[in-house]
Amino acid sequence: MFRILQVTLLLLLAVAVNAQDVSRDDIRGLDEQIQDVKKDVIDLTATLAQLEEKLLFPSNTQVALFVSVADEKPFELESVEITLNGEIVAHHLYTYREIESLQKGGVQKIYTGNVQAGAHPLQVRFIGKTPSGKDYQANASYQIDKAVGPKFVEIRISGTESEINFKDW
């Protein structure tokens, strides 16, 4: 009777060990499949975003505005407000991480819209802090000359010297 019990226990232990090996292999395979599906979803999302942008903002009317900060001056940008053709089209309050990214050379796409060919007045207003902690704000104007084809404008904020520079891409 004791031998039968030992053999039964050994068989159960062998089945359990074998089942764990199969389960680990299955889990690894399942993890790989999940990673593949995640990659496919990310690729599809990127493709859909590009198609959506092409549909919503055709290249003959598209205008896109980008914000960057000068890296040589210590300045902490807090907010930016952009007015195009007399209407506020973008207002953004920056988080610490966004400011850090901009100071490291990042560029933020702050607005994408549609305008007809021709001249369009653009006003930019920003609020920030100087290295001494003093609040600082400035305004600047620019004229976007939109032709056929997409128009990209970089708004480069220097900060302490009231400098806002515009650059057509």
Side-chain angles (χ1 to χ4, degrees), residues 19 22 27 32 40-41 53 58 64 77-78 93 98 107-108 113 120 137 146 165 167-168:
V22 171
I27 289 172
E32 290 172 4
D40 289 345
V41 168
E53 187 170 319
L77 184 63
E78 291 186 348
L93 297 173
E98 291 171 328
V107 177
Q108 174 197 15
H120 302 275
Q137 62 180 341
K146 175 79 173 81
N165 297 315
K167 181 179 177 184
D168 289 331

Side-chain angles (χ1 to χ4, degrees), residues 23-146:
S23 295
R24 286 183 185 162
D25 289 340
D26 288 344
I27 289 172
R28 284 187 193 136
L30 189 60
D31 283 344
E32 290 172 4
Q33 288 177 351
I34 289 172
Q35 294 303 320
D36 289 343
V37 169
K38 283 182 180 179
K39 186 178 182 279
D40 289 345
V41 168
I42 290 170
D43 291 344
L44 285 173
T45 302
T47 303
L48 284 175
Q50 289 174 347
L51 290 173
E52 181 182 14
E53 187 170 319
K54 281 183 181 180
L55 182 66
L56 294 175
F57 309 108
S59 63
N60 60 343
T61 61
Q62 181 184 33
V63 63
L65 305 174
F66 299 86
V67 172
S68 66
V69 296
D71 50 6
E72 68 269 5
K73 297 180 182 177
F75 174 73
E76 193 167 305
L77 184 63
E78 291 186 348
S79 70
V80 171
E81 183 178 278
I82 297 177
T83 304
L84 181 63
N85 293 326
E87 292 183 31
I88 296 174
V89 294
H91 182 88
H92 190 80
L93 297 173
Y94 290 91
T95 65
Y96 178 75
R97 293 185 71 178
E98 291 171 328
I99 294 167
E100 196 174 73
S101 295
L102 288 173
Q103 289 173 340
K104 289 181 179 178
V107 177
Q108 174 197 15
K109 187 175 189 178
I110 194 166
Y111 173 74
T112 303
N114 294 309
V115 295
Q116 297 298 320
H120 302 275
L122 173 71
Q123 287 85 36
V124 177
R125 179 174 165 249
F126 76 88
I127 298 174
K129 285 195 183 280
T130 62
S132 63
K134 184 179 176 184
D135 289 337
Y136 188 78
Q137 62 180 341
N139 300 307
S141 297
Y142 184 71
Q143 182 169 310
I144 296 176
D145 294 319
K146 175 79 173 81

